[in-house]
Amino acid sequence: MIVKVTPPKNALRLLRWFCRSEFLEEIEWDLEELFLENLETYGHRAARKRYWGDVLRHLRLIFIKKRSFKFSTQNQTAMWSNYLKIAVRNFWKSKVISSINVLGLSLGLAACMIVFFHIKDELSYDKFLKNGDKVYRVLNVYPSYDPPHWAGGPVPLGPALIEEFPGIKDAVRLWRDYDPTLSLDQKVFKEENLIFTDATFFDMISFSLETGNPKTALSEPNTIVLTQSMAKKYFGDEDPMGKAIGYNGGRGQMDLKVTGVMANLPHNTHFKFDFLVSFLSVKRQNNWGSFKPIWTYITLNDNVLPEDIVAGLPKFAEKYVPGRVREEEGFTFTIEPMSDIYMKSLATRNMKPLGDLQTIYVYGIVGLSILLIACINFVNLSMAKSLSRSKEVGIRKTIGARRGQLINQFITESGLTVVLSLMMAVGLALLFLPVYNDVSGKQIEAGQLFNIEFIGIALTLLLGVSLLAGLYPALFISRMKSVDALKRSIDKAGASLGIRKAFVVFQFLISATLIIGILVTKRQLTYIYNKPLGVNTENVLVVPYSKDEQVFVDKLKAKPEVVSLGISQRLPVNLLNYDGRTFKVEGLETAAYAQSCIISRDFLQTYDIELIAGRNHFEEATDQWEFLINETAVVDYGWETPEQALGKTVFFDREDSVVGSVIGVFKDYHLESLHEKIPPMIMFRNINEKRWTTWGKEYVSIKFQTDDFPTFLRDVEDIWKAHNQEKAYFSLLMDDSYEGLHEADHRFATIFNYVTFIAMFIACLGLLGLSMLTVGQRAKEIGIRKALGASVFNVSTLLSKSFVKLILLGLLLASPVAYYLMENWLDGFTYRIDLGVSQFVIAFVLTVLISLITIGFQTIKAAMANPVNSLRDE
Amino acid sequence: MKGTYLGEFEEIVLLVIGILNDQAYGVAIKNELEAQSQRTISIGAVHAATNRLEEKGYLESEFGDVTKERGGKRKKYYKVTVYGQKALRKAMDLRTQMWAQIDASSFVVKTTFG
């Protein structure tokens, strides 16, 4: 068989487009002849390539058509006012479809705007700080841990770094003190955000003081700087400068002199504090073995590269964290620029929860998807609607409208709709902003909506969307031949039908993906709440440690509601309060690492922490140090069974004054959100209360059983206050505390719910509009079918079938996409559910149901209609 | 009428059309040009030149017969007009005249030592 090879069509089309007609015949002949020649000499591919080249070589001035770019000198106002009039009339003529169009688009735009502000806000963190890229935060790296980086190190780290590295200019430490009490006269408050910091703080981190001298504010012991809102809280309208505030907390008891007031911290910073106290107020400053919430920041000299410092850090760690750290474990420090902390830091245990680049991407993609769904709706509906206007187009063409004019007209129309939607979108965004702020915990103000940047983006959106959404229908409808247009031969529109179907499939792909997403996040969060944590936080009330311990404890135990009562240094479920320690263990060549916590005997009972080997501490006082460790520690230290751990000696401190044996192994319990792994843990009782009087006595956890919680709460408070007049009282329920850990996940889920709802809503709007149009166009057919005896059921199935097929296809395509995305999200959790078929099935059924209901009204209405109505006009 | 200047390429094209006699159409001109001058010439350049020359009046053209297999397209044949012939001759005369005036010794490659 001889296949006739022809020159590339597009090249020929191009030639015909630009070339003046009087040259065309000659050029075409010669090009074709050359093509045939080349075909024999060089083959098909090369010949086509040469043909293209030859065409392009004819792009010479003498061949190119003279085009008239001149604007018409005629007055076109009449034409434009006609377009406007027709646009408005059309809008009113099909009110429902027009409003669906506007509503869908404005919802999409509004969602997009809010996403934009969210992302902008996330990216603005710490950008207001000067030298953000020159100040570095020091992190600890334990390569064998997951995740290996964490923030917060030993007390003397900062000064030692300055001493060892000539390249380091300065260092500042920020030590979060755990819930101290501050008092002024009769006012006593428990404060969460007090930080001890070096005098260099204001030099390195560009917060400024409203009053006071930043150079000297923190250079003396016992001085304090407060934020404005705290100054107001303690001093009202008085001038706080020079006044004294009483401190009672982890670093002892002292009076602090106010030496400065600073503005409240903006929300978009990774720093979190209300008070800064001079570091010199801290007495013991030389413990290298304990990793506390002490964040160290450094600045480098001008010509020093961060890599140079990082290179020296392993050696530094080896020298200063002596004997504790195994070489093969490779413990070291590293540094990261301050400006990267919020978005990019790998470290856990930060001053406050950080953002995450991946979430930003997710939001961005979701925002764009919604806009895309809305645009698709717009295009789909406009196209379908324009078909019903084919007569108008036919007549315009017959009278002499040029194609360009028709395109102008249609783009103007879509532009008007977009302007309308954009205005509505701004309104909607303003309406949603408070809801959004509430859900996301951000403080985005409405004023931000009206800055130059935003107006620029709005205009870009306006142009982009109206061109995108208007151009396709405009091109499509203006291409119709006037005869076809007049005949309303919809068959000619077949090509566009394919694209419209593809659009519907795509919309449902996105909606179904989002619905699957909702179901999966819901299940994961439910899993988190119901997962056995290893501790029972139900009905546990926590109050601060009380003086006169024995009397206080006896008083409480006498109450019938109290089931059990434990005193401890830290609380479960929040790792920040824990104390990472390295110490020696018998039989281990290298240092052991664990989170440590001092407890009283009843701590285990109070939280239902199960012992799986050995025994608990004895009730009676003893002179033996006795340690309890968790399962993870057993595995970590290389023992095969929990029993093997029993009796092993632990050298807990360097002076060998806290030495004893492991007496029990308790079941793992969670300290952090389920994103994180359970670390090795060690718990023991402080037996030398003479030497360390208050060591390990911070909280009293009370397990209770009562029907009248408010009364119980009041009773406990009264008993506590009778013993501690000068300290601040607080109480918290452990259950709330655990929920707080997953606040970020909760937010994600809530935002996700809203987003999915909006996306689904827009997609359904589109479906509704399309089904209305289809039903309208097939009215006669339905009439005839009914006249011939089709039942309501027959007709409605017929009408729904075409849509259901598309929706099913969309769902089918959505499954792999959703699977991939959700696997990714779940991977962020150490403890997670597995993706099951059920979520997909439920999502499918849900989507199909929702869409059937959406189109159901239309189809059933059409199927019930009296055929006479649709058939009589003609 | 534009200027009557005859460029080098135009001159060769005119000559080639003369050589091809009554068979001078685009591809033939291109092929002959390539054969004569030993260089690759694009068909676009040929078309540009012939059309410009026609505009100047050096060439005249007529379309050949309609052929079946090319979908009704026709070849365009070129002929050098009398005016064109004059221009060619003039160009040649100018050259011969100038060649005659060149002193033979000035074109000898001089090799000097020292």
Side-chain angles (χ1 to χ4, degrees):
Chain A
M1 197 173 106
I2 299 159
V3 180
K4 195 171 178 247
V5 187
T6 51
K9 274 216 181 69
N10 285 331
L12 190 61
R13 201 174 285 162
L14 177 73
L15 180 75
R16 284 179 182 164
W17 176 71
F18 75 74
C19 188
R20 290 161 76 167
S21 53
E22 62 258 44
F23 300 122
L24 214 51
E25 188 165 8
E26 178 194 9
I27 293 173
E28 276 185 38
W29 174 283
D30 286 332
L31 287 187
E32 195 172 331
E33 186 166 326
L34 278 177
F35 175 76
L36 294 172
E37 259 176 41
N38 288 332
L39 199 61
E40 283 194 4
T41 340
Y42 306 105
H44 183 210
R45 196 176 278 268
R48 285 174 71 91
K49 216 163 131 190
R50 276 162 191 257
Y51 191 91
W52 267 104
D54 282 337
V55 166
L56 293 179
R57 281 195 194 91
H58 279 88
L59 274 171
R60 289 160 188 263
L61 266 182
I62 63 159
F63 299 126
I64 291 177
K65 275 182 200 161
K66 301 279 178 290
R67 277 161 204 278
S68 51
F69 288 110
K70 60 176 195 283
F71 288 100
S72 172
T73 47
Q74 292 159 2
N75 187 349
Q76 299 228 337
T77 334
M79 217 54 227
W80 283 103
S81 67
N82 177 268
Y83 293 162
L84 270 179
K85 192 191 277 174
I86 298 291
V88 173
R89 280 184 188 166
N90 262 310
F91 192 90
W92 287 117
K93 194 174 143 200
S94 43
K95 285 189 201 69
V96 181
I97 294 202
S98 308
S99 2
I100 286 176
N101 227 344
V102 170
L103 187 64
L105 195 58
S106 50
L107 263 176
L109 285 171
C112 220
M113 283 174 197
I114 287 186
V115 165
F116 168 75
F117 284 113
H118 176 89
I119 293 179
K120 196 175 148 221
D121 184 70
E122 284 284 294
L123 295 179
S124 74
Y125 268 68
D126 294 327
K127 291 287 178 291
F128 63 92
L129 291 171
K130 279 172 214 134
N131 298 328
D133 52 338
K134 298 209 178 79
V135 178
Y136 294 85
R137 185 172 76 163
V138 185
L139 299 177
N140 315 311
V141 192
Y142 233 133
S144 55
Y145 277 82
D146 182 30
H149 298 80
W150 84 93
V155 191
L157 177 61
L161 280 170
I162 300 182
E163 205 171 292
E164 284 291 318
F165 292 91
I168 294 179
K169 196 158 100 191
D170 230 332
V172 66
R173 292 167 289 179
L174 282 80
W175 184 349
R176 149 97 53 85
D177 197 32
Y178 202 71
D179 295 1
T181 306
L182 292 185
S183 55
L184 181 80
D185 305 328
Q186 293 310 307
K187 284 182 225 164
V188 183
F189 296 107
K190 186 124 197 125
E191 292 297 349
E192 285 173 14
N193 299 310
L194 185 140
I195 275 182
F196 286 93
T197 187
D198 290 300
T200 45
F201 180 85
F202 291 105
D203 269 353
M204 288 176 57
I205 294 158
S206 64
F207 288 112
S208 53
L209 281 179
E210 303 269 303
T211 43
N213 181 352
K215 293 254 177 282
T216 58
L218 295 168
S219 56
E220 305 271 323
N222 302 351
T223 51
I224 186 168
V225 169
L226 4 129
T227 59
Q228 235 157 21
S229 59
M230 288 301 133
K232 187 119 190 140
K233 177 172 160 189
Y234 283 85
F235 299 96
D237 294 329
E238 282 174 58
D239 180 17
M241 293 294 284
K243 302 230 165 61
I245 289 184
Y247 165 92
N248 185 356
R251 311 280 79 74
Q253 240 172 322
M254 54 190 142
D255 277 341
L256 302 171
K257 193 175 89 177
V258 177
T259 50
V261 177
M262 61 184 289
N264 291 331
L265 295 193
H267 77 282
N268 55 350
T269 173
H270 82 282
F271 288 105
K272 186 181 177 192
F273 55 83
D274 296 323
F275 304 90
L276 294 172
V277 180
S278 64
F279 212 92
L280 294 169
S281 323
V282 182
K283 290 189 186 73
R284 286 179 59 214
Q285 297 205 358
N286 54 1
N287 187 357
W288 275 95
S290 168
F291 289 80
K292 294 181 177 349
I294 302 173
W295 297 281
T296 305
Y297 295 77
I298 55 171
T299 46
L300 309 183
N301 284 323
D302 284 339
N303 47 1
V304 181
L305 291 171
E307 292 80 30
D308 301 341
I309 304 295
V310 172
L313 282 170
K315 250 206 159 128
F316 169 84
E318 207 178 320
K319 176 172 173 191
Y320 279 93
V321 195
R324 310 266 175 184
V325 180
R326 291 180 288 180
E327 208 156 299
E328 59 268 31
E329 248 188 321
F331 174 88
T332 182
F333 298 102
T334 186
I335 58 177
E336 62 182 352
M338 183 166 74
S339 52
D340 283 356
I341 290 177
Y342 185 75
M343 265 296 126
K344 297 185 189 150
S345 183
L346 301 166
T348 54
R349 295 171 221 174
N350 299 288
M351 231 176 273
K352 69 183 196 190
L354 300 184
D356 136 48
L357 217 50
Q358 211 192 341
T359 321
I360 293 284
Y361 285 135
V362 172
Y363 281 138
I365 291 171
V366 165
L368 283 181
S369 309
I370 290 189
L371 188 65
L372 205 61
I373 293 187
C375 282
I376 287 177
N377 257 356
F378 190 86
V379 175
N380 237 346
L381 287 177
S382 315
M383 222 148 68
K385 210 168 72 173
S386 57
L387 280 182
S388 60
R389 290 175 62 183
S390 57
K391 261 194 190 130
E392 179 194 333
V393 174
I395 288 173
R396 276 186 192 274
K397 280 202 157 184
T398 319
I399 298 176
R402 270 179 276 133
R403 196 171 169 208
Q405 285 178 312
L406 284 168
I407 293 177
N408 268 350
Q409 186 196 346
F410 278 93
I411 289 189
T412 314
E413 268 182 43
S414 70
L416 281 178
T417 321
V418 175
V419 170
L420 202 63
S421 312
L422 201 64
M423 289 193 296
M424 254 184 84
V426 172
L428 281 174
L430 288 178
L431 206 68
F432 284 146
L433 211 53
V435 182
Y436 166 76
N437 279 340
D438 195 38
V439 173
S440 69
K442 287 199 177 299
Q443 292 130 34
I444 293 171
E445 283 151 26
Q448 284 189 17
L449 284 175
F450 302 102
N451 61 11
I452 295 282
E453 200 181 2
F454 176 69
I455 290 168
I457 284 171
L459 285 179
T460 321
L461 273 178
L462 170 68
L463 271 177
V465 174
S466 41
L467 271 182
L468 264 175
L471 196 62
Y472 191 78
L475 283 178
F476 164 72
I477 189 105
S478 62
R479 202 176 54 199
M480 282 206 278
K481 294 211 175 68
S482 37
V483 182
D484 292 333
L486 281 170
K487 274 200 302 197
R488 293 194 72 175
S489 66
I490 291 169
D491 290 346
K492 301 273 174 195
S496 84
L497 211 64
I499 290 177
R500 270 156 59 194
K501 281 180 177 164
F503 282 164
V504 173
V505 170
F506 183 71
Q507 282 184 317
F508 276 87
L509 190 158
I510 294 178
S511 321
T513 309
L514 288 171
I515 289 190
I516 295 171
I518 281 194
L519 293 173
V520 174
T521 42
K522 262 230 160 84
R523 257 199 48 185
Q524 170 70 16
L525 290 181
T526 322
Y527 170 78
I528 288 175
Y529 291 129
N530 299 337
K531 184 174 190 304
L533 300 168
V535 285
N536 187 353
T537 54
E538 217 176 312
N539 288 344
V540 177
L541 181 75
V542 174
V543 297
Y545 177 71
S546 166
K547 277 209 284 195
D548 315 320
E549 179 186 328
Q550 205 51 50
V551 186
F552 176 73
V553 167
D554 287 344
K555 266 193 203 167
L556 275 181
K557 276 190 173 162
K559 290 183 73 62
E561 295 97 329
V562 175
V563 179
S564 167
L565 183 149
I567 297 170
S568 61
Q569 177 190 17
R570 320 278 175 196
L571 295 174
V573 192
N574 189 349
L575 195 60
L576 249 195
N577 331 340
Y578 273 73
D579 200 358
R581 295 241 178 195
T582 46
F583 46 85
K584 264 197 310 197
V585 175
E586 176 197 345
L588 259 68
E589 285 168 24
T590 51
Y593 165 86
Q595 291 290 336
S596 88
C597 177
I598 296 171
I599 54 167
S600 75
R601 183 191 136 74
D602 292 335
F603 183 80
L604 295 190
Q605 275 106 301
T606 309
Y607 285 102
D608 288 344
I609 298 167
E610 208 181 308
L611 271 178
I612 52 171
R615 60 168 177 86
N616 196 351
H617 298 117
F618 289 122
E619 186 127 22
E620 306 77 46
T622 161
D623 56 354
Q624 298 290 312
W625 290 95
E626 292 172 329
F627 296 93
L628 299 166
I629 60 175
N630 69 351
E631 289 169 286
T632 306
V634 172
V635 176
D636 243 56
Y637 303 160
W639 294 313
E640 270 148 33
T641 61
E643 282 72 24
Q644 281 184 16
L646 300 178
K648 295 282 190 314
T649 313
V650 173
F651 304 87
F652 194 72
D653 68 340
R654 273 158 101 186
E655 307 151 29
D656 284 349
S657 46
V658 183
V659 176
S661 54
V662 176
I663 55 160
V665 176
F666 60 92
K667 236 182 140 148
D668 278 343
Y669 68 81
H670 285 278
L671 291 160
E672 284 174 287
S673 75
L674 294 199
H675 288 282
E676 315 298 343
K677 259 191 172 161
I678 296 175
M681 278 186 68
I682 188 161
M683 303 204 286
F684 57 98
R685 189 163 153 185
N686 174 10
I687 58 156
N688 196 346
E689 288 190 7
K690 285 207 183 75
R691 182 167 170 194
W692 298 291
T693 33
T694 55
W695 191 27
K697 306 211 165 176
E698 297 283 339
Y699 302 98
V700 181
S701 308
I702 309 160
K703 176 112 183 164
F704 60 89
Q705 193 65 56
T706 175
D707 295 329
D708 186 6
F709 181 65
T711 315
F712 175 67
L713 195 64
R714 230 178 3 255
D715 287 353
V716 173
E717 184 172 350
D718 288 343
I719 297 174
W720 191 90
K721 281 196 167 152
H723 292 274
N724 308 275
Q725 282 87 359
E726 76 288 2
K727 277 172 84 181
Y729 176 77
F730 70 91
S731 66
L732 59 100
L733 275 170
M734 283 308 289
D735 259 357
D736 299 343
S737 175
Y738 186 66
E739 251 172 65
L741 284 182
H742 290 99
E743 207 182 298
D745 297 317
H746 246 292
R747 282 194 179 137
F748 181 77
T750 322
I751 292 176
F752 209 65
N753 280 355
Y754 279 102
V755 160
T756 310
F757 178 75
I758 291 175
M760 192 71 206
F761 185 70
I762 297 176
C764 281
L765 276 184
L767 200 60
L768 180 70
L770 267 186
S771 61
M772 280 174 77
L773 284 165
T774 320
V775 166
Q777 277 161 4
R778 292 173 76 174
K780 284 223 166 71
E781 180 196 333
I782 296 168
I784 292 169
R785 278 178 191 275
K786 282 199 76 176
L788 291 176
S791 69
V792 172
F793 179 75
N794 282 345
V795 174
S796 31
T797 359
L798 175 83
L799 286 173
S800 318
K801 216 162 64 187
S802 53
F803 284 114
V804 171
K805 259 191 237 157
L806 300 182
I807 292 163
L808 285 179
L809 185 62
L811 292 179
L812 217 63
L813 293 175
S815 327
V817 178
Y819 182 82
Y820 172 76
L821 291 176
M822 291 329 287
E823 268 297 316
N824 239 338
W825 181 73
L826 286 172
D827 269 347
F829 290 88
T830 310
Y831 303 92
R832 47 161 282 193
I833 54 165
D834 285 322
L835 282 176
V837 185
S838 65
Q839 290 116 13
F840 290 80
V841 173
I842 296 172
F844 284 7
V845 173
L846 217 65
T847 321
V848 172
L849 264 182
I850 296 174
S851 21
L852 274 183
I853 292 170
T854 313
I855 52 180
F857 287 115
Q858 286 309 311
T859 49
I860 290 172
K861 203 172 100 189
M864 304 255 283
N866 189 345
V868 173
N869 291 332
S870 57
L871 289 177
R872 78 176 151 204
D873 60 314
E874 202 158 344
Chain B
M1 184 76 50
K2 288 190 178 159
T4 49
Y5 166 77
L6 196 59
E8 188 258 354
F9 185 66
E10 290 175 330
E11 192 180 342
I12 301 177
V13 170
L14 278 182
L15 289 170
V16 163
I17 291 171
I19 293 169
L20 289 169
N21 201 3
D22 55 353
Q23 286 303 316
Y25 71 99
V27 177
I29 300 171
K30 171 181 149 42
N31 291 342
E32 185 63 27
L33 269 174
E34 284 179 345
Q36 294 273 356
S37 67
Q38 303 291 322
R39 60 183 188 186
T40 322
I41 284 155
S42 92
I43 187 75
V46 174
H47 285 146
T50 50
N51 284 296
R52 214 177 299 116
L53 285 168
E54 193 176 6
E55 206 177 301
K56 285 179 184 171
Y58 295 147
L59 285 178
E60 57 188 359
S61 66
E62 62 178 9
F63 282 104
D65 296 329
V66 177
T67 47
K68 223 181 188 175
E69 69 272 21
R70 291 288 192 90
K73 269 178 235 139
R74 296 170 299 176
K75 284 186 205 178
K76 191 180 186 187
Y77 290 107
Y78 289 98
K79 243 190 183 130
V80 183
T81 56
V82 182
Y83 186 54
Q85 291 167 21
K86 266 189 191 163
L88 269 179
R89 195 162 298 280
K90 218 168 134 192
M92 196 178 78
D93 287 348
L94 179 67
R95 279 164 209 226
T96 7
Q97 182 192 328
M98 285 165 80
W99 270 106
Q101 287 171 28
I102 293 171
D103 185 61
S105 62
S106 69
F107 272 13
V108 175
V109 179
K110 282 177 190 158
T111 43
T112 44
F113 302 92

